Amino acid sequence: MERGLKSADHRDGTAYTGWTGIAVLYLHLYDVFGDPAYLQMAHSYVKQSLNCLSKRSITFLCGDAGPLAVAAVVYHKMSNEKQAEDCITRLIHLNKVDPHAPNEMLYGRVSPAMLHSLVKPSVNYVCQLKFPSGNYPPCVGDTRDLLVHWCHGAPGVIYMLLQAYKVFKEEQYLNDAYQCADVIWQHGLLKKGYGLCHGTAGNAYSFLALYNVTQDTKYLYRACKFAEWCLDYGDHGCRTPDTPFSLFEGMAGTIYFLADLLVPSKARFPAFEL
């Protein structure tokens, strides 16, 4: 991966395909293994990402929020509170750049301001979009039961279902999550690649998430089988992504998932928690 990054776009500082994503990977490796060398690597990549701010897009994955948020975490872990606070201040002011950005995760600002009374009806609305197969549409109004990705389909919805189950204690949410997992087990080995967004490593996280909630080893087994597939990197005739060494499209995402597989009780998805 490090060799491949030598040819990466030096202007891409994003979390999705650029230097911030690589910083997130090393930050995660530091959290899992505790080796200070990984924190130093995260620091070097996040500094590179801060030199690539677009000053246009505020989104976490594809804009300036990602580099600033990750930099704040890295500086905090390095006990450099002044620089961490500076990044946080700049992050807060991003809302003035594009106050009309949508409140969604992939391309928006993920506003936490939704009223609690709206959450459960919103979850239930998504649930009723489910196809008979157990999969979910890529977006509202799309009737094609085709995509099984974290970004489009059951692998992303399963996180919502598990969180709803933990908060509202309703078995139907867990049952729907089981159905998502079965869809992913049947259709989740993707020829699009090994990354997190629309690749096998991202799909495998659904099994770790379900294992952490249920402690059912069947799902840990399924995560391991998907990991075996990922470890045969390049042997499946998969399409080479545009950014083959990035976090969300490429090899960095595979490494991130494999690190979590070693410690499944700490498994998390990079866009959900830093």
Side-chain angles (χ1 to χ4, degrees):
M1 185 193 75
E2 286 290 342
R3 289 196 301 270
L5 286 172
K6 295 183 186 301
S7 61
D9 184 355
H10 68 278
R11 299 165 298 178
D12 187 351
T14 67
Y16 193 83
T17 55
W19 303 120
T20 298
I22 305 304
V24 169
L25 169 63
Y26 280 110
L27 186 60
H28 183 53
L29 294 177
Y30 171 70
D31 287 343
V32 172
F33 301 110
D35 187 340
Y38 290 132
L39 184 58
Q40 289 299 324
M41 291 294 288
H43 179 233
S44 66
Y45 281 115
V46 86
K47 284 198 304 182
Q48 199 163 343
S49 74
L50 290 175
N51 292 327
C52 305
L53 298 182
S54 70
K55 298 180 173 60
R56 296 186 304 277
S57 173
I58 70 169
T59 72
F60 178 79
L61 291 183
C62 300
D64 292 352
L68 290 170
V70 175
V73 175
V74 170
Y75 287 130
H76 173 70
K77 288 182 180 291
M78 298 181 75
S79 299
N80 192 333
E81 299 302 333
K82 184 178 184 302
Q83 285 187 279
E85 288 294 332
D86 177 65
C87 290
I88 292 171
T89 300
R90 295 167 68 185
L91 186 62
I92 291 170
H93 281 90
L94 282 184
N95 193 47
K96 299 177 181 178
V97 177
D98 186 5
H100 304 294
N103 292 329
E104 58 97 23
M105 182 171 154
L106 194 56
Y107 300 115
R109 60 186 175 184
V110 201
S111 171
M114 180 181 285
L115 298 170
H116 185 270
S117 62
L118 298 178
V119 173
K120 196 168 188 290
S122 298
V123 171
N124 291 338
Y125 174 74
V126 174
C127 289
Q128 61 91 25
L129 297 176
K130 181 175 65 174
F131 293 122
S133 67
N135 195 24
Y136 289 78
C139 60
V140 174
D142 195 326
T143 60
R144 298 170 299 167
D145 185 0
L146 294 175
L147 303 178
V148 184
H149 306 161
W150 168 75
C151 55
H152 295 104
V157 174
I158 197 170
Y159 296 95
M160 179 200 74
L161 294 170
L162 291 173
Q163 189 63 29
Y165 170 69
K166 288 188 287 186
V167 172
F168 301 115
K169 314 299 183 187
E170 294 185 13
E171 288 293 323
Q172 186 57 49
Y173 295 132
L174 184 59
N175 291 334
D176 286 348
Y178 286 138
Q179 197 171 3
C180 281
D182 288 339
V183 169
I184 299 161
W185 180 243
Q186 293 295 326
H187 304 289
L189 294 177
L190 304 179
K191 289 297 185 75
K192 289 189 174 183
Y194 305 85
L196 296 179
C197 185
H198 39 270
T200 300
N203 285 359
Y205 263 106
S206 62
F207 303 132
L208 283 182
L210 201 49
Y211 170 74
N212 282 336
V213 171
T214 66
Q215 295 298 296
D216 186 336
T217 55
K218 175 174 75 173
Y219 297 106
L220 186 57
Y221 168 82
R222 289 183 173 185
C224 289
K225 298 307 289 185
F226 270 44
E228 288 180 8
W229 198 85
C230 290
L231 286 170
D232 292 329
Y233 199 93
D235 292 344
H236 306 293
C238 291
R239 176 180 65 83
T240 301
D242 294 334
T243 52
F245 305 100
S246 65
L247 182 64
F248 274 83
E249 287 191 349
M251 187 180 291
T254 304
I255 297 169
Y256 194 107
F257 162 65
L258 293 173
D260 265 342
L261 189 60
L262 296 174
V263 191
S265 63
K266 294 183 179 180
R268 55 197 173 112
F269 200 80
F272 298 151
E273 180 183 352
L274 284 174

